[in-house]
């Protein structure tokens, strides 16, 4: 305890001034920063590698209040403890702007308390209970000083100064108290009527107008085999929709349970009475008659602090976990074609159930692993977790600079029917094992380079080598795609994107009775223009042009036009 007679008059006045300013400042900080103290649950989905199709945050007052509820529930409630030296705070440095003020209040006046773990948490929002405890300590100290003061130290002028400062801040303090009281009333009301304290709803709705022209009445593969006999060479224009409703739940504040419902009635152009080739598929197609079926279900939780993550997916999950690097992978916000969304290497085996992990060595190096199967729930022969088709993926993701992302991907797959099932290339390239049990090894390189100030370059290349387990035959396939995006195109918030690539092609075949490689080559030209009408409304006109469909130059080229409107909420 310091002897009050050793305190200079100016120090006592400064103490009174700091105390009063502290009162107003801390209340203001509590009111302004409470919404920043805890990361909302929905941000967990954005940390889930890349392909969970992150949505913009809602700007409605209701959503903001719900976030406040989550933050109130997550604020720490551990007791505070008195400290005698500012050096006891592990998170307070001499370079901090408030260091001298804290040092004075702690070491001279014993007026600041900290947490038992040795932290001050100066950047966190202050609760009313915490402020009351700190204020009480300060008032006790004031009373002690006054009680022990002599006439030479505490004079009427000093007390008058303190009273004047209190009166000057009276209006501000009353206003802040009123705001906090009002917020607590609203919070209590929302807590009583909220849907769930741990669940966040995120949605996306797509309306599309699409159609194609060109193509061949009789579509053949490169070996001359008839794939489809199409009575139409040009389709009618179709209007369709797709809805995604995501329920993101967190039980610890760090984990994530995602349940997604996806009604859809967008018919694939690959149908036998349409183009007949997967090369014309849209990125958001699929028709379940607008039934509210579960299209994705997974749970993930952190390990090794925040550096690692374990992923368990039950429904349609493999390509939603791995970092695909591409900025155009969102079916509602990215490429309009299925092939353009991401490298086909992430689709190998059409796996449905998966278990994976990732670990961040640094902010620039990440490793990931994933094991997936298409029929985990089926215990019949050639199904289940270990008896049928599977794909095991390993990936290294690198970020050499702030503007460059690179990934090296390897997939080993066993294909019980010899089919890669990526549904992006030619029929022969997908059926690389010629319908026989096949082992396939695939290698991919993916990269995205953001070129200041307005360009984005993204590309991938993928090679697959497959061998029938019988030793009868072997085959290879190859594909690549490149996009160049121009931001602020014709408007500040819009983006114009051009793409060119080669969908999967069978490039080499060995063995008897398995046919030959495809001699011709298909090329895909794609372009789309992203028009941001608002933070929650995106309109994307675009087209896909397929040259030499099914890697056969005798097939007529196909043009696909799309007008996609995406609502996010």
């Amino acid at each position: 305890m310091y002897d009050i007679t050793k305190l200079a008059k100016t120090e006592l006045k400064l103490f009174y001034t700091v105390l009063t300013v502290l009162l107003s400042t801390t209340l203001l900080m509590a009111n302004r920063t409470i919404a920043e103290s805890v990361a909302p649950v929905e941000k967990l989905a954005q940390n889930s590698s890349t392909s969970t199709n992150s949505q913009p945050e809602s700007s409605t007052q209701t959503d903001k209040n719900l976030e406040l509820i989550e933050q109130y529930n997550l604020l720490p409630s551990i007791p505070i403890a008195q400290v005698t030296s500012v050096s006891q705070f592990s998170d307070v440095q001499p370079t901090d702007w408030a260091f001298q003020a804290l040092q004075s209040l702690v070491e001279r006046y014993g007026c600041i308390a900290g947490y038992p773990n040795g932290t001050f948490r100066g950047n966190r929002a202050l609760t009313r209970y915490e402020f009351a405890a700190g204020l009480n300590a300060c008032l006790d100290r004031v009373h002690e000083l006054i009680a022990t003061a002599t006439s030479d130290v505490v004079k009427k002028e000093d007390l008058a100064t303190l009273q004047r400062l209190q009166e000057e801040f009276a209006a501000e303090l009353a206003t802040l108290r009123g705001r906090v009281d009002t917020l607590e009333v609203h919070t209590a009301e929302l807590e009583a009527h909220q849907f769930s304290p741990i669940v966040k709803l995120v949605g996306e709705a797509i309306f599309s107008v699409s159609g194609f022209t060109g193509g061949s009445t009789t579509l053949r593969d490169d070996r001359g085999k008839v794939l489809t006999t199409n009575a139409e060479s040009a389709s009618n224009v179709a209007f369709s929709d797709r809805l995604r409703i995501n329920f993101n739940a967190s039980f610890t504040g760090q984990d994530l349970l995602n349940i997604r419902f996806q009604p859809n009635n967008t018919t694939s152009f690959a149908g036998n009475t349409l183009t007949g080739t997967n090369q014309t598929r849209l990125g958001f197609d699929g028709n379940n008659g607008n039934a509210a079926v579960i299209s994705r279900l997974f749970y993930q939780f952190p390990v090794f602090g925040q550096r690692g993550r374990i992923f368990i997916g039950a429904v349609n999950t493999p390509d939603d976990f791995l970092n695909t690097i591409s900025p155009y992978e969102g079916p509602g916000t990215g490429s309009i074609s299925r092939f353009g969304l991401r490298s086909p290497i992430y689709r190998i085996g059409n796996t449905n159930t998966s278990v994976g992990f990732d670990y961040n060595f640094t902010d620039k190096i990440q490793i990931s692993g994933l094991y997936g199967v298409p029929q985990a729930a089926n215990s019949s022969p050639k199904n289940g977790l270990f008896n049928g088709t599977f794909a095991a993926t390993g990936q290294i993701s690198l970020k050499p600079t702030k503007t460059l992302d690179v990934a090296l991907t390897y997939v080993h797959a066993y294909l019980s029917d010899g089919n890669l099932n990526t549904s992006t290339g030619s029929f022969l390239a997908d059926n690389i094992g010629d319908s026989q049990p096949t082992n396939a090894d695939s290698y991919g390189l993916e990269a995205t380079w953001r070129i200041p100030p307005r360009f984005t370059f993204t590309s991938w290349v993928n090679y697959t080598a497959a061998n029938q387990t019988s030793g009868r035959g072997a085959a290879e396939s190859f594909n690549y795609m490149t996009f160049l995006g121009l931001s602020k195109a014709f408007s500040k918030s819009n983006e114009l994107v051009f793409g060119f690539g080669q969908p999967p092609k069978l490039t080499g075949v060995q063995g008897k009775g398995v046919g030959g490689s495809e001699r011709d080559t298909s090329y895909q030209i794609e372009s789309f223009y992203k028009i941001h009408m608002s933070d929650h409304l995106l309109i994307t006109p675009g087209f896909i042009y397929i040259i030499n469909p099914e890697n056969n130059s005798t097939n007529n080229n196909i043009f696909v036009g799309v007008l996609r409107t995406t609502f996010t909420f």
Side-chain angles (χ1 to χ4, degrees):
M1 184 69 66
Y2 289 94
D3 188 346
I4 191 65
T5 60
K6 295 182 180 180
L7 295 175
K9 296 179 182 180
T10 54
E11 291 178 333
L12 182 58
K13 291 181 180 180
L14 176 62
F15 168 65
Y16 290 142
T17 302
V18 171
L19 173 62
T20 307
V21 173
L22 176 65
L23 175 64
S24 60
T25 304
T26 50
L27 277 177
L28 180 61
M29 289 174 62
N31 192 48
R32 291 177 56 187
T33 64
I34 192 167
E36 301 173 0
S37 59
V38 178
V41 172
E42 63 269 20
K43 291 186 179 179
L44 292 168
Q46 297 174 357
N47 295 333
S48 165
S49 301
T50 52
S51 5
T52 53
N53 301 321
S54 58
Q55 311 294 342
E57 299 292 333
S58 173
S59 61
T60 64
Q61 188 61 42
T62 300
D63 282 350
K64 290 181 180 178
N65 289 333
L66 287 174
E67 291 173 6
L68 287 174
I69 292 172
E70 295 172 358
Q71 294 154 8
Y72 271 126
N73 292 335
L74 293 174
L75 284 174
S77 57
I78 59 178
I80 56 180
Q82 186 65 46
V83 294
T84 58
S85 173
V86 71
S87 63
Q88 293 178 248
F89 294 132
S90 61
D91 57 347
V92 175
Q93 304 299 324
T95 55
D96 292 338
W97 66 272
F99 178 80
Q100 291 184 348
L102 287 173
Q103 187 179 41
S104 178
L105 290 172
V106 171
E107 299 180 3
R108 290 193 176 191
Y109 307 116
C111 193
I112 294 295
Y115 289 89
N117 64 354
T119 61
F120 179 65
R121 304 184 186 180
N123 292 324
R124 189 182 63 78
L126 187 69
T127 68
R128 292 177 65 129
Y129 292 110
E130 293 167 327
F131 177 74
L135 178 61
N136 183 68
C138 287
L139 291 176
D140 287 344
R141 184 60 175 158
V142 169
H143 292 157
E144 181 182 349
L145 290 175
I146 293 175
T148 60
T150 65
S151 58
D152 293 334
V153 177
V154 179
K155 295 183 177 181
K156 292 183 179 180
E157 292 80 359
D158 299 326
L159 298 177
T161 299
L162 176 60
Q163 183 178 2
R164 178 175 55 81
L165 289 172
Q166 290 175 332
E167 292 174 352
E168 288 180 1
F169 283 96
E172 288 80 0
L173 294 175
T175 300
L176 291 174
R177 283 194 296 269
R179 290 179 179 176
V180 173
D181 291 340
T182 301
L183 178 60
E184 288 184 344
V185 171
H186 289 321
T187 299
E189 181 179 356
L190 288 170
E191 285 178 335
H193 296 88
Q194 64 181 313
F195 168 70
S196 170
I198 61 173
V199 179
K200 182 71 176 180
L201 173 66
V202 179
E204 178 187 80
I206 297 175
F207 294 149
S208 70
V209 177
S210 58
F212 72 89
T213 185
S216 300
T217 302
T218 301
L219 185 73
R220 301 176 185 273
D221 63 23
D222 190 67
R223 298 173 185 171
K225 179 181 177 181
V226 175
L227 299 178
T228 65
T229 301
N230 185 359
E232 300 181 12
S233 60
S235 71
N236 294 322
V237 174
F239 175 78
S240 62
D241 64 78
R242 193 200 70 179
L243 176 65
R244 280 183 170 177
I245 300 294
N246 288 278
F247 293 92
N248 295 326
S250 178
F251 305 96
T252 66
Q254 303 297 328
D255 60 340
L256 174 65
L257 173 66
N258 174 264
I259 305 172
R260 184 177 73 193
F261 294 88
Q262 182 170 293
N264 196 348
N265 71 348
T266 305
T267 299
S268 169
F269 286 147
N272 291 337
T273 60
L274 299 172
T275 67
T277 175
N278 285 323
Q279 294 173 339
T280 60
R281 288 193 61 178
L282 301 178
F284 52 90
D285 66 18
N287 190 348
N288 59 23
N290 271 335
V293 298
I294 295 178
S295 67
R296 186 175 67 186
L297 174 62
F298 71 81
Y299 178 68
Q300 65 183 40
F301 56 92
V303 292
F304 305 113
Q306 297 298 317
R307 289 191 174 275
R309 183 175 48 147
I310 300 296
F311 176 89
I312 303 172
V315 179
N316 194 27
T317 54
D319 54 8
D320 288 313
F321 172 72
L322 295 169
N323 184 359
T324 66
I325 302 299
S326 174
Y328 305 120
E329 68 170 351
T333 58
S335 171
I336 59 175
S337 72
R338 178 177 174 86
F339 175 54
L341 290 179
R342 60 182 71 93
S343 171
I345 196 172
Y346 298 107
R347 301 184 186 273
I348 290 175
N350 192 28
T351 55
N352 191 44
T353 302
S354 56
V355 178
F357 76 94
D358 61 26
Y359 182 79
N360 296 283
F361 288 99
T362 68
D363 293 339
K364 297 182 178 181
I365 303 175
Q366 179 193 69
I367 62 169
S368 305
L370 190 71
Y371 175 85
V373 297
Q375 296 289 338
N378 189 341
S379 60
S380 62
K382 298 184 179 181
N383 287 293
L385 284 174
F386 307 108
N387 297 322
T389 293
F390 72 86
T393 305
Q395 179 169 286
I396 301 177
S397 301
L398 307 172
K399 192 176 183 63
T401 68
K402 292 182 179 180
T403 61
L404 179 63
D405 294 280
V406 179
L408 302 172
T409 309
Y410 168 72
V411 177
H412 174 73
Y414 169 73
L415 313 169
S416 60
D417 59 357
N419 202 316
L420 291 170
N421 276 311
T422 66
S423 298
T424 56
S426 68
F427 173 81
L428 292 176
D430 238 11
N431 190 25
I432 194 169
D434 201 31
S435 302
Q436 300 299 314
T438 300
N439 290 315
D441 294 287
S442 300
Y443 309 86
L445 170 64
E446 303 83 31
T448 292
W449 182 24
R450 291 167 292 279
I451 309 172
R454 298 172 59 187
F455 291 96
T456 299
F457 174 85
T458 186
S459 182
W460 73 72
V461 58
N462 177 209
Y463 166 78
T464 298
N467 295 274
Q468 294 180 354
T469 58
S470 64
R472 179 185 178 190
E476 300 172 340
S477 71
F478 181 78
N479 70 85
Y480 65 86
M481 187 69 189
T482 298
F483 285 105
L484 181 63
L486 173 64
S487 61
K488 300 181 181 179
F490 310 112
S491 179
K492 185 177 180 179
S493 58
N494 298 344
E495 183 179 14
L496 181 62
V497 183
F498 296 96
F500 178 83
Q502 175 192 305
K505 171 187 175 180
L506 201 63
T507 56
V509 176
Q510 298 176 351
K512 296 182 178 180
V514 295
S517 60
E518 296 177 291
R519 295 163 295 180
D520 298 325
T521 302
S522 296
Y523 297 103
Q524 175 171 315
I525 300 173
E526 178 177 349
S527 182
F528 52 93
Y529 182 50
K530 300 170 63 174
I531 305 172
H532 289 271
M533 306 299 295
S534 71
D535 290 341
H536 303 281
L537 174 58
L538 175 68
I539 298 178
T540 309
F543 71 87
I544 309 165
Y545 189 62
I546 305 298
I547 301 173
N548 303 329
E550 290 294 317
N551 295 305
N552 187 345
S553 60
T554 64
N555 294 323
N556 295 330
N557 298 342
I558 304 173
F559 178 91
V560 179
V562 179
L563 177 61
R564 181 185 64 198
T565 301
T566 306
F567 300 89
T568 54
F569 55 92

